[in-house]
Amino acid sequence: MAPPRKHDTDVILDAARALALADGPRAVSVAAIAKASGAPVGTLYHRFGNRNGVLTAAWIRALDRFQQRTLAAADHTDPVEAGVAMAGAAVRFGRELPEDARLLLELRPRDLLDGGPDAEFRARLDRMNAPLIEHLRRVARDLFGTDGHREIDAVSRAVVDLPYAALRRHAHAPALPDWVDADLACATRTLLESYRR
């Protein structure tokens, strides 16, 4: 049996995501995903191995979509504007893909996987996060003149924690309020400007 086409894979991952958000990850089974997606059970086992594989793939897809937007926004030469753009990209992600945002906000890998994440999953996550961390380091170096733990933590509060808190606060609303983008940009800019040497 051939692996499903990309579209079929997205349908499967959308179904797994919906089930995990509606009933919690422990209630999700291969049979439930097959029923919700219309994909044969055999296809799911062939493509993903087991329920952990499907849930992991849905979570990783959400993370990848988030990171693509954030990294695309991070290339501004001014560190403050780079940080503001990264924070704004996180909010746009939540607006454009609210179910993916909820999946990342509400479920951690340990929630998705029986037995918790293994070394291979952690290594994959480290590889995925490395470019984002490097941008945070660059912003810290440009603002503070160094990228030590404290400096990266300070930049992360502005660029990561503020949008995370805004998205979490409104995760179950029908839509993010229109004013969140402007308010978050102002707060992020103010905080980052306070760090300039």
Side-chain angles (χ1 to χ4, degrees):
M1 180 179 296
R5 297 182 317 271
K6 183 182 186 316
H7 173 74
D8 297 328
T9 298
D10 283 338
V11 170
I12 292 166
L13 299 184
D14 288 349
R17 180 188 64 200
L19 290 166
L21 290 174
D23 302 321
R26 295 291 170 233
V28 179
S29 65
V30 170
I33 296 167
K35 182 177 180 183
S37 68
V41 170
T43 296
L44 297 181
Y45 280 114
H46 177 76
R47 175 68 177 89
F48 299 102
N50 56 31
R51 73 171 279 287
N52 281 3
V54 183
L55 289 174
T56 298
W59 196 87
I60 290 290
R61 181 186 66 166
L63 181 62
D64 183 58
R65 289 171 169 177
F66 165 77
Q67 289 183 339
Q68 285 179 20
R69 286 163 172 77
T70 305
L71 293 173
D75 285 333
H76 201 288
T77 55
D78 180 81
V80 170
E81 294 310 314
V84 169
M86 291 169 73
V91 172
R92 282 190 303 281
F93 164 75
R95 191 181 304 288
E96 294 166 5
L97 297 167
E99 294 86 5
D100 278 348
R102 282 187 55 214
L103 192 69
L104 295 179
L105 288 167
E106 295 179 12
L107 303 174
R108 297 288 175 241
R110 67 179 173 271
D111 301 323
L112 299 170
L113 304 173
D114 295 328
D118 58 15
E120 182 181 331
F121 181 87
R122 285 191 202 94
R124 182 177 186 184
L125 205 52
D126 288 345
R127 286 191 305 274
M128 290 181 74
N129 287 331
L132 181 60
I133 292 168
E134 186 49 43
H135 278 291
L136 294 174
R137 285 185 179 284
R138 177 183 63 89
V139 170
R141 284 192 301 268
D142 289 351
L143 291 175
F144 291 102
T146 184
D147 61 357
H149 180 73
R150 184 175 184 180
E151 292 77 17
I152 293 171
D153 192 72
V155 169
S156 295
R157 283 194 299 274
V159 175
V160 178
D161 296 349
L162 284 177
Y164 177 87
L167 288 172
R168 179 172 281 292
R169 178 180 303 276
H170 301 288
H172 294 283
L176 283 169
D178 294 337
W179 42 262
V180 167
D181 305 71
D183 284 6
L184 180 67
C186 182
T188 302
R189 183 175 284 107
T190 299
L191 194 51
L192 290 175
E193 284 287 2
S194 75
Y195 299 153
R196 279 198 196 268
R197 290 178 290 163

